[in-house]
Amino acid sequence: MVEKDEQTKAIECEALIHLKWMREAMLMAEEALAHSEVPVGCVFVREHGVIARARNRTNELRNASRHAELEAIDCILADKELTPESARYPLEDTVLYVTVEPCIMCASALRQLGIKEVFYGCENDKFGGCGSVLGVNESVRHPVHPSYPATGGYLREEAIMILRRFYVTENTNAPVPKQKSTRVLKTEIPPKIQT
């Protein structure tokens, strides 16, 4: 049996770490689903530990800006130990794990706060701010705020399925709820399209 080289071992170890944190984000997505929210969850990691975790609360708070990422950011910014007042980029040593690609609004906020890196589950084909719709994280030039890498595909199938579970149910918080009693949960997931 051929022994794996050190680089391969390091890559595999890093992938396991990313999966560990993405599972934590999925727990928050499950919590969102249990509260009749679009099931998106996230964790912010710094120095090998979670400093904030959150889920979508848009329906609960009746505020369209209460995405999981912004909920967690508010907690980080409110904590003086996590956010020294002099920090220009308070998230520069922080990594985000989120079940769905950040939307344009969240991707922009993350860039303005100097996030180090983002890992996400599935693409956000309608509002994605890390490349699916607009590359706010990198490709859109900005004179001040640094770009950040965003990598998708971690627990992608699970992220897609939890979204589908939500979207086949009635959203009683919608202004005019659509009848969904005839919808069927699709379980086939197409492969990610490489760009």
Side-chain angles (χ1 to χ4, degrees), residues 14-34:
E14 187 175 324
L16 289 174
I17 291 168
H18 296 321
L19 288 172
K20 170 188 171 182
W21 297 126
M22 191 59 72
R23 284 188 188 95
E24 293 288 323
M26 284 300 298
L27 291 175
M28 297 307 299
E30 288 287 350
E31 185 178 308
L33 182 64

Side-chain angles (χ1 to χ4, degrees), residues 19 29 33 47 72 116 137 169 171 192:
L19 288 172
L33 182 64
E47 296 176 7
K116 180 179 180 180
N137 64 310
T169 63
N171 182 357
K192 180 180 178 194

Side-chain angles (χ1 to χ4, degrees), residues 141-155:
R141 294 174 93 35
H142 194 281
V144 177
H145 304 303
S147 63
Y148 61 88
T151 306
Y154 288 92
L155 300 183

Side-chain angles (χ1 to χ4, degrees), residues 95-116:
V95 177
L96 167 65
Y97 293 87
V98 61
T99 58
V100 178
E101 174 188 358
C103 71
I104 293 168
M105 172 183 69
C106 292
S108 178
L110 291 164
R111 187 163 181 176
Q112 291 173 49
L113 294 168
I115 192 79
K116 180 179 180 180

Side-chain angles (χ1 to χ4, degrees), residues 31-192:
E31 185 178 308
L33 182 64
H35 286 85
S36 300
E37 296 282 355
V38 175
V40 177
C42 70
V43 294
F44 282 78
V45 176
R46 184 183 293 164
E47 296 176 7
H48 311 292
V50 174
I51 62 167
R53 64 183 75 233
R55 62 174 174 82
N56 274 5
R57 294 180 64 206
T58 57
N59 291 334
E60 177 184 340
L61 299 176
R62 298 189 185 281
N63 182 336
S65 72
R66 298 296 49 194
H67 291 191
E69 300 95 324
L70 297 181
E71 285 286 303
I73 286 169
D74 284 352
C75 292
I76 294 168
L77 295 178
D79 187 326
K80 298 296 183 203
E81 290 183 26
L82 295 175
T83 312
E85 289 182 32
S86 62
R88 178 173 186 182
Y89 294 116
L91 300 179
E92 67 187 341
D93 58 354
T94 307
V95 177
L96 167 65
Y97 293 87
V98 61
T99 58
V100 178
E101 174 188 358
C103 71
I104 293 168
M105 172 183 69
C106 292
S108 178
L110 291 164
R111 187 163 181 176
Q112 291 173 49
L113 294 168
I115 192 79
K116 180 179 180 180
E117 192 166 6
V118 172
F119 293 92
Y120 61 88
C122 65
E123 307 81 19
N124 184 340
D125 295 332
K126 293 185 179 183
F127 308 108
C130 294
S132 291
V133 175
L134 191 62
V136 173
N137 64 310
E138 287 184 316
S139 62
V140 174
R141 294 174 93 35
H142 194 281
V144 177
H145 304 303
S147 63
Y148 61 88
T151 306
Y154 288 92
L155 300 183
R156 179 177 179 267
E157 291 79 15
E158 291 90 335
I160 290 171
M161 286 308 298
I162 195 169
L163 288 170
R164 287 182 179 175
R165 285 171 40 210
F166 174 79
Y167 284 114
V168 297
T169 63
E170 303 281 335
N171 182 357
T172 57
N173 295 308
V176 181
K178 295 180 182 176
Q179 293 294 331
K180 297 184 181 178
S181 58
T182 59
R183 289 199 179 176
V184 176
L185 178 63
K186 295 178 188 175
T187 57
E188 184 178 318
I189 298 172
K192 180 180 178 194

